[in-house]
Amino acid sequence: MATYLEFIQQNEERDGVRFSWNVWPSSRLEATRMVVPLACILTPLKERPDLPPVQYEPVLCSRPTCKAILNPLCQVDYRAKLWACNFCFQRNQFPPAYAGISEVNQPAELMPQFSTVEYVIQRGAQSPLIFLYVVDTCLEEDDLQALKESLQMSLSLLPPDALVGLITFGRMVQVHELSCEGISKSYVFRGTKDLTAKQIQDMLGLTKPAVPVHPARPAQPQEHPSISSRFLQPIHKIDMNLTDLLGELQRDPWPVPQGKRPLRSTGVALSIAVGLLEGTFPNTGARIMLFIGGPPTQGPGMVVGDELKVPIRSWHDIEKDNARFMKKATKHYEMLANRAAANGHCVDIYACALDQTGLLEMKCCTNLTGGHMVMGDSFNTSLFKQTFQRIFSKDFNGNFRMAFGATLEVKTSRELKVAGAIGPCVSLNVKGPCVSENELGVGGTSQWKICGLDPTSTLGIYFEVVNQHNAPIPQGGRGAIQFVTHYQHSSTQRRIRVTTIARNWADAQSQLKHIEAAFDQEAAAVLMARLGVFRAESEEGPDVLRWLDRQLIRLCQKFGQYTKEDPASFRLSDSFSLYPQFMFHLRRSPFLQVFNNSPDESSYYRHHFARQDLTQSLIMIQPILYSYSFHGPPEPVLLDSSSILADRILLMDTFFQIVIYLGETIAQWQKAGYQDMPEYENFKHLLQAPLDDAQEILHTRFPMPRYINTEHGGSQARFLLSKVNPSQTHNNLYAWGQETGAPILTDDVSLQVFMDHLKKLAVSSAC
Amino acid sequence: MSQQGYVATPPYSQSQPGIGLSPPHYGHYGDPSHTGSPPGMMKPAGPLGAAAPGGMLPQGHPPHGPHQFGQNGAHAQGPPLQRFPGPPPVNSAAPSYAPYSPSTQSSYPSPVSTSSVAQLGTQLSAMHVNSYAANYGPQMAGAQLSYPGGFPGGPAQMAGPPQPQKKLDPDSIPSPIQVIENDRATRGGQVYTTNTRGQIPPLVTTDCTIQDQGNASPRYIRCTTYCFPCTSDMAKQAQIPLAAIIKPFATIPSNETPLYLVNHGETGPVRCNRCKAYMCPFMQFIEGGRRYQCGFCNCVNDVPPFYFQHLDHIGRRLDHYEKPELSLGSYEYVATLDYCRKNKPPSPPAFIFMIDVSYSNIKNGLVKLICEELKTVLEKLPKEDQEETSSLRVGFITYNKVLHFFNVKSTLARPQMMVVTDVSEVFVPLLDGFLVSYQESQSVIHNLLDQIPEMFADSNENETVFAPVIRAGMEALKAADCPGKLFIFHSSLPTAEAPGKLKNRDDKKLINTDKEKILFQPQTNVYDPLAKDCVAHGCCVTLFLFPSQYVDVASLGLVPQLTGGTLYKYNNFQVHLDSQQFLNDLRNDIEKKIGFDAIMRVRTSTGFRATDFFGGIYMNNTTDVEMAAIDCDKAVTVEFKHDDKLSEDSGALIQCAVLYTTVSGQRRLRIHNLGLNCSSQLADLYKSCETDALINFFAKSAFKAVLHQPLKVIREILVNQTAHVLACYRKNCASPSAASQLILPDSMKVLPVYMNCLLKNCVLLSRPEISTDERAYQRQLVMTMGVADSQLFFYPQLRPIHTLDVKSTTLPAAIRCSESRLSEEGIFLLANGVNMFLWLGVSSPPELIQGIFNVPSFAHVNTDITSLPELGNPYSQTLRMIMGIIQQKRPYSMKLTIVKQREQPEMVFRQFLVEDKGLYGGSSYVDFLCCVHKEICQLLN
């Protein structure tokens, strides 16, 4: 057997799954002693170019409470054409179509390498993709112009049969009817009035004239798709109209008096967008794209008043309970988010403004529906333009990298229960035998709705081992988990992706070494970080940090090798060695520290942290630092102040920022213009190398990171200095002596201090 | 001006009260000693047109005129007495005087009329018979008077057999036509100067030129009496209403001088410090011109330095004739910023056109018609004389159960439509581009008007809203910070879920009960506050209604009424028949002179004050008359009461000041001053009365009371007051004569006939046959009428056409509105300002029929047409010219109905023959006169 590292990597590539533990402790008690919960990072729609979908439907276990899908772990009696469910042990007859199977003629889903299978469902009406643009018009002229261009560009990227709609808002909210000839027509709503879904639908004329509904017949949601046609039209029909409409779009004409913010009815606009889709395309994949250039200033969901002299809430205000509108606004957006999620619609927020725009209040709209959250300074920046363009990027098959209206269902073998999920999802509140009573993240259910997801959308799923200590699992027993993701593919097909995985059980007392070796510290760090961030949303920051610290200490106590009361003796095995460092950087990360961040920025960072895959998440926790110098090829260096040297160029990737930092000497050389001299061509190449690498990252990353080019002593160098481990500060500079690195002016503890302290606590018998 | 008392003496021989329950027996008309005039001249079938006005004088009358008699010579010569018959017995009155006896009625298939009479009889039997008996029963003398409308009680209630009756000659009773003709003969075509206080102007029906010499022209102000009683006791005694009918924006003929505009620059108008009256001819300059005494409150004010002028030898300022405010009764001031809202000059007003685009209006082509017409009519928006183009802005809204606003900004390639569906709390969705200059946005507007009918061509929305439409318009004006006028084209009961939603509450069962008034009140309490808001923001609402069934005019019409707008109603509108009438009204309404955002204040000299106001107004307090707009056809009737003694020397002075915004957005004050006499002699009071104005007042006060009181009470009050006024005259002014004589003051000779017309108006007539909407409509119509309009409305013009002299341009002389004046061989034209009828006798001359209709005979005439064909022959041309003249200056375009004698539609026509007994009740003139006489006798005893 290969190393665990290889095993983990192989599993990740095949199934998009990484577990914190790859050998599972076999009893509840032992599992809780492992500190890091049994959990996995799951990327449900991980791109698998090598995995062609099968064109038939999955075979389900016939037990009504199970309905697990036939998978390679099932025992099959080829002669009797029977299979035994590996979750509930129900014996099932194969359907007639499987009459010809045998050991040599197996369907794909029985082959071990197909632990992940994708099925295409042929039945059911296919509905086109729906894009509803919700556009703020309280923008500066050039901002609006840039936004209009981006929107028009996006139209050209949409498939011709996609349905599009347009809502614009400022002081009023306008729902544009797109099919009008000779006159442009829009429905206008007051921006201050909270409307119920029914009112909105009545006012838009979406409700059918009262026809008595037969109680016996369930309502068919897509019975009359034509009703909606006024506001959502196939792009090929109204391409010209919509282009003209966007072209004619003017700034909000209502005068903004001196000292006031423009009146912006974001809350009502979003409410109408949600209501419109709810009334016309319930349970159909749709994307609401909200573009805002400032905070909502009136009506339900207002975040700040229109008086400019009253600034928008800060963390300070929130702590002092001084944010007047926050609770009410949050409630409003949560209500909308839940409604959108219930109907399978996802909400994107593109917020471009120098000041805050109320992302804190609106975050649930994207977080609960799986929408994108993009934050920029202006619509007229490449950051926004390219990020927005990347939404419509296509995969190797020419399909959009987006899927809609997904439900993720988790089935576990009976020793396990599912405790919750953390990610861009909402609970579907499906109780079942495999639902744990303890909740971690969004729990109490075995199914979640993910309204919008892409190949990188990743959830953390947490489990609980429920096997009692006195009921040992037979040697070699394996626990199994099945992830079933129903979703609407961007080609409008309904698909089901099924991933079934199994891991060995091990008795923690006798086989702790096995378990220890199978620890995936990267996955564990991310999973713990997600838990921490999830807690931080509702708890005070210091509490979360304390909790994280305690978990870390307990983990070190459990798995460290040390003599009691002797910190110097403390050792951690390879599979744990990096974990404390991740935790150190996590403590310093903007996900848990709000200092120096606005509430909007915190929300933005946390949003992305809760949905990116493992690699990106790790970058977010602990940024990567590359060094370019004449001393050798580019190499990753420690994220430490000691890495900041005069003759180096540093490239730091924090996920949100790409920072290129020229060391003091390099910067001087550059100023002197050596790179333009033919004899110093190698210097030119050296300067160019990090730029090329940065470009590579910029090209693939979503959202586009902020690209920062700075040098020693530059004001923007703060981005780098705030991230590196402050091993040298103004306090200990002379103690460390020498010329290496750059001192950081901070009182933060360095990794070294942190580790010392950790060791001391881990070996102490006091706790 | 005529001081002649009108006296008629019926030989009341047997009809003394106190006979008991047996019906009175009345002697027949005709004292041989007084039958001086040849009755033949008034034969209905006679060639009336040929008769000279003089020939129509009542028998025995000397010619009228001030030159004939001294100031107090009312009875100096012993006026010739006329015999006047007492009231005929009720039971036989109907068959004798109703133009259509039951036998003739049978030829009209109208079961309604016969059955309803019976029904009415039973309904009324209890009260009316009792009161009737009371009038004659000595033991119950002094009990309530009764209106003769209750008379058709039928024989069942009457004791004794019906008495054979001799027919009373209608020619012997005072004729309105005669009065009109007399005044026209004596004062028509002359110049009337307003230099004397308390002069009685010519009648409204008389054409003359008016020269302002210190008192407002009667075109602006008319009074019920030009001589006020000195004390309130005296006023109470006479019970003559003291009222002025003010039409501040009345149209002035081109040969009269338009109002001068006075501009005092930033200092603004000169006003009395105490009562704030404006400088006017009633201010008395003293102390060499340094101070002046206010004619209204007697306060002595300093003359502002800039205004100082020396006085001449008779104490008049040297610049008396140079300053309009010193020498004229009416003039205008330029108002300063103090007179503007928020001390800011107003923006030019706006017109907003709001079209109901529900299914029926699209289907019948109305929307298309309106849109087409707007394209031309918008070229003629009103403007100041010196302006190149109108500064008025225009906006457009269409609606059914939602509202559609249109952005017609001139820079747009195509109009933009914005739908507001939140009708519960309507708002204006756009600021810029809604109200635009027609000239600048012409192409976009035309584009829009072309598209509107098509846009809604497929709509099958039947429900409409109404209150939100008005609110939307008002909010739009408010947002634009300008006053304006909404033109709403509406056709159905607003049943859609919205504020002001109405339900069909037309309940005929309420008629004749104490709850009948509810039918005239708005159904919900949404409209009154809405009207108040509209007035507060200078938003006038004009409503064009196109109902095909009950639409609750009482509710819909409230805002138009309170905001100084006009209500037009076209029942069962058909584009091919009724377009012309509607389009004329629309054009006229858009083009007419109008002032916006107006506030009127009526100031009086000490001793009396204005107490009550009637008209298209809204009052937040007791003195300020607020009007969102006031146009040239709207009149406000003001009632005065004493609060002290008036002196004969100083008289009674009235100053009416209207602050308003012109069509170009200038703030102005329009001042009208009028001086009246005062007298402690009742005779002077009676001499100076004007019946036309009295009727205007009576009508408005009664129609206002309709909202609060049972109709029966109102009718009784009217009869009561008429009797009282006349009895007071009889008692105090007339020379002693037999109690049975009916003596009428000359100025009130026709009061009974007009009063009867008022009582017979469908508003006051509680009859289920008449549509509730029509009654509410007519009620509203009258509330804003000026004297001329109310005169014509209550006593229509009836003119023979068959005697037409095609070579003359004068109108054929009018005749009295009675069936007996018609003839089978004749063609008659009747007009009351709202309706016009061309009545064709069965034996109408075929050449006339041919000339007018271009068809060979009576039988071929198509009665569906609503306008006469334009034919080249003189008959057609002259008739159409006559109709044009009659229509001229009337605020409403009259709908022409062709009526053939003895055909069903004649029923409608007959209602306008107001001297006859009404179809749906209401007594004939003769009956009413008898009734009044009886009441007078009662009062005198």
Side-chain angles (χ1 to χ4, degrees), chain A residues 436-464:
Chain A
S436 163
E437 280 172 12
N438 298 322
E439 289 188 25
L440 280 174
V442 183
T445 178
S446 63
Q447 290 184 20
W448 293 267
K449 184 126 193 165
I450 314 165
C451 299
L453 73 174
D454 56 51
T456 63
S457 300
T458 302
L459 289 90
I461 310 227
Y462 298 82
F463 301 94
E464 188 186 18

Side-chain angles (χ1 to χ4, degrees), chain A residues 107-377:
Chain A
E109 65 263 34
L110 285 179
M111 298 178 190
Q113 67 268 38
F114 286 102
S115 55
T116 294
V117 187
E118 185 149 311
Y119 300 89
V120 176
I121 306 291
Q122 308 289 358
R123 69 203 142 80
Q126 294 187 356
S127 55
L129 300 184
I130 300 162
F131 297 88
L132 180 55
Y133 295 83
V134 184
V135 183
D136 179 5
T137 53
C138 297
L139 301 175
E140 292 303 317
E141 197 60 71
D142 49 348
D143 242 17
L144 181 64
Q145 191 55 38
L147 178 57
K148 275 153 66 172
E149 281 163 15
S150 284
L151 296 180
Q152 282 171 334
M153 174 279 299
S154 73
L155 294 181
S156 64
L157 299 174
L158 295 178
D161 61 342
L163 301 183
V164 291
L166 177 65
I167 294 175
T168 57
F169 66 95
R171 187 188 180 114
M172 313 267 171
V173 180
Q174 279 177 273
V175 183
H176 295 268
E177 194 174 315
L178 300 172
S179 58
C180 291
E181 312 223 324
I183 188 159
S184 63
K185 184 174 171 185
S186 59
Y187 283 65
V188 189
F189 293 82
R190 195 194 277 276
T192 50
K193 195 172 172 186
D194 201 359
L195 299 165
T196 65
K198 168 118 189 8
Q199 282 173 314
I200 289 168
Q201 285 152 20
D202 282 347
M203 287 176 176
L204 290 175
L206 301 176
T207 35
K208 280 161 270 181
V211 181
V213 181
H214 296 286
R217 207 183 52 184
Q220 295 284 301
Q222 285 157 40
E223 220 167 345
H224 297 287
S226 59
I227 270 191
S228 58
S229 59
R230 280 183 301 157
F231 303 107
L232 295 163
Q233 288 277 324
I235 181 90
H236 65 88
K237 269 199 198 157
I238 45 99
D239 195 12
M240 289 302 286
N241 259 357
L242 190 52
T243 311
D244 288 353
L245 201 59
L246 286 172
E248 277 184 12
L249 203 58
Q250 295 298 315
R251 294 177 61 194
D252 196 47
W254 300 85
V256 180
Q258 195 80 38
K260 301 260 189 187
R261 294 189 176 90
L263 289 174
R264 190 181 276 111
S265 327
T266 320
V268 170
L270 196 60
S271 165
I272 289 168
V274 169
L276 170 62
L277 286 177
E278 195 171 48
T280 50
F281 289 96
N283 303 315
T284 308
R287 179 156 229 125
I288 295 169
M289 298 192 283
L290 174 66
F291 301 86
I292 49 175
T297 46
Q298 69 166 2
M302 75 183 274
V303 165
V304 65
D306 65 340
E307 285 286 349
L308 263 177
K309 65 181 181 213
V310 182
I312 190 166
R313 80 278 173 286
S314 62
W315 278 120
H316 186 75
D317 295 328
I318 294 170
E319 278 158 26
K320 292 267 181 303
D321 204 15
N322 232 351
R324 270 182 68 202
F325 306 106
M326 187 180 77
K327 285 216 177 76
K328 237 179 123 196
T330 309
K331 207 171 152 210
H332 175 77
Y333 294 109
E334 262 171 10
M335 182 267 294
L336 292 180
N338 282 316
R339 272 169 50 197
N343 289 293
H345 305 138
C346 81
V347 182
D348 294 349
I349 299 176
Y350 305 89
C352 285
L354 288 170
D355 197 3
Q356 299 188 73
T357 53
L359 288 181
L360 172 72
E361 286 80 358
M362 290 187 238
K363 66 185 175 199
C364 48
C365 292
T366 53
N367 292 353
L368 300 186
T369 64
H372 300 297
M373 186 190 281
V374 173
M375 194 169 82
D377 291 344

Side-chain angles (χ1 to χ4, degrees), chain A residues 44 158 201 213 221 358 415 422 427 449 525 536 548 634 689 736:
Chain A
L158 295 178
Q201 285 152 20
V213 181
E415 301 86 4
I422 297 177
S427 160
K449 184 126 193 165
L548 268 181
W736 282 74

